[in-house]
Amino acid sequence: MANVVVMLGPPGSGKGTQAKRLVDVLGIPHVSSGDLFRHHLSEGTELGRMAQKYMERGELVPDAVTVEMVIDRLRQPDCEEGVVLDGFPRTLTQAEALDEALREQGMAVSVVPLIHVSDEEVIRRITARRVCKDCGAVYNLAFERPEEEGVCDVCGGELYQREDDDQETVRHRLYTYYRETSPLIGYYFAQGLLVEIDGERPMADVQRDLREAVAQVGEPG
Ligand code: AMP
């Protein structure tokens, strides 16, 4: 049975970093809607230009466009064995569209880990986040500093701060999360798919709980 993991949690909860580590173990693709949008943006596509104005303001890109982009990605052959979704779905409409698309492919969401992190911690983490322009590696000036300031340890690329990672936009993204995305907690809880994880612990502990949650999928009880 294909594993479809939906990572849930506020921006800055570490779900992206945790998702990347998880796919290394599971050997299935990591599909991040934010990364897909940023890719379109850097390629200068029409979709990227359209998404940019929403991203800059910390608002959600309209459902129709987002759903089409992500579902297209899920139809690629490498997703047949499963996928770890990160940043999608973010609204009930997206969650329902995902369910329908998966059903057509004979699949279903298997588990929804929810990473809990307080608002203060979200703001502290995100404003300290730096990303490599070339390879996308993520650093944090508070607890995962690069060896040389401003330079990527992996590829030597230049580190930058995402435009939507400044304090004011982060507050707006959090507001958007509570308004649009938090209803998904109830949606997945009602289906018995939610697994809550305390995200304010060392990264390795969070990863261990996450792997446990995924491993228990389908086990009775
Ligand atoms: P992220 O990297 O997941 O924090 O996403 C960055 C930005 O991309 C968000 O603030 C939104 O503007 C946009 N975005 C990413 N995923 C979605 C989604 N599922 N629905 C709508 N907008 C999204």
Side-chain angles (χ1 to χ4, degrees):
M1 183 68 178
N3 241 323
V4 178
V5 181
V6 170
M7 301 290 295
L8 215 56
S13 56
K15 60 186 189 316
T17 308
Q18 295 292 350
K20 281 183 197 152
R21 293 185 179 195
L22 182 66
V23 293
D24 285 345
V25 186
L26 297 180
I28 54 179
H30 169 218
V31 173
S32 151
S33 43
D35 284 351
L36 290 174
F37 280 129
R38 279 184 288 279
H39 179 73
H40 276 280
L41 216 100
S42 67
E43 296 285 301
T45 69
E46 200 180 319
L47 173 60
R49 277 194 297 277
M50 193 282 286
Q52 186 174 20
K53 55 181 190 282
Y54 296 97
M55 296 171 76
E56 279 172 355
R57 293 199 293 257
E59 283 170 13
L60 296 185
V61 180
D63 283 334
V65 193
T66 307
V67 165
E68 195 187 328
M69 177 184 73
V70 178
I71 302 294
D72 267 2
R73 176 68 189 88
L74 294 182
R75 293 211 174 102
Q76 303 301 312
D78 64 333
C79 293
E80 275 169 14
E81 298 297 315
V83 65
V84 176
L85 280 166
D86 164 20
F88 181 92
R90 254 175 159 102
T91 65
L92 278 175
T93 305
Q94 293 180 12
E96 285 162 5
L98 172 66
D99 283 348
E100 194 185 320
L102 290 174
R103 205 175 309 124
E104 282 169 11
Q105 288 177 252
M107 296 158 84
V109 174
S110 31
V111 63
V112 181
L114 168 62
I115 317 263
H116 282 289
V117 171
S118 70
D119 298 350
E120 296 73 38
E121 180 66 9
V122 162
I123 290 165
R124 193 179 75 84
R125 285 185 188 182
I126 295 198
T127 50
R129 177 157 70 183
R130 297 293 181 273
V131 184
C132 174
K133 268 197 170 122
D134 296 333
C135 75
V138 181
Y139 298 85
N140 193 292
L141 302 185
F143 52 82
E144 235 194 333
R145 300 183 73 86
E147 279 182 18
E148 191 184 333
E149 199 181 313
V151 180
C152 178
D153 292 349
V154 182
C155 75
E158 187 189 335
L159 303 186
Y160 77 109
Q161 180 173 35
R162 273 170 50 178
E163 257 183 55
D164 57 348
D165 276 355
D166 67 282
Q167 184 154 156
E168 199 185 326
T169 314
V170 172
R171 282 184 189 281
H172 196 70
R173 284 164 66 198
L174 256 179
Y175 169 71
T176 305
Y177 171 76
Y178 286 119
R179 196 186 51 195
E180 310 273 2
T181 309
S182 65
L184 295 185
I185 298 173
Y187 180 78
Y188 288 121
F189 175 78
Q191 297 176 48
L193 295 172
L194 199 72
V195 179
E196 302 192 51
I197 297 176
D198 174 2
E200 289 198 36
R201 293 175 303 153
M203 228 162 333
D205 294 357
V206 177
Q207 181 65 207
R208 191 199 53 231
D209 286 4
L210 182 57
R211 286 184 198 173
E212 236 172 69
V214 173
Q216 276 165 13
V217 170
E219 279 181 16

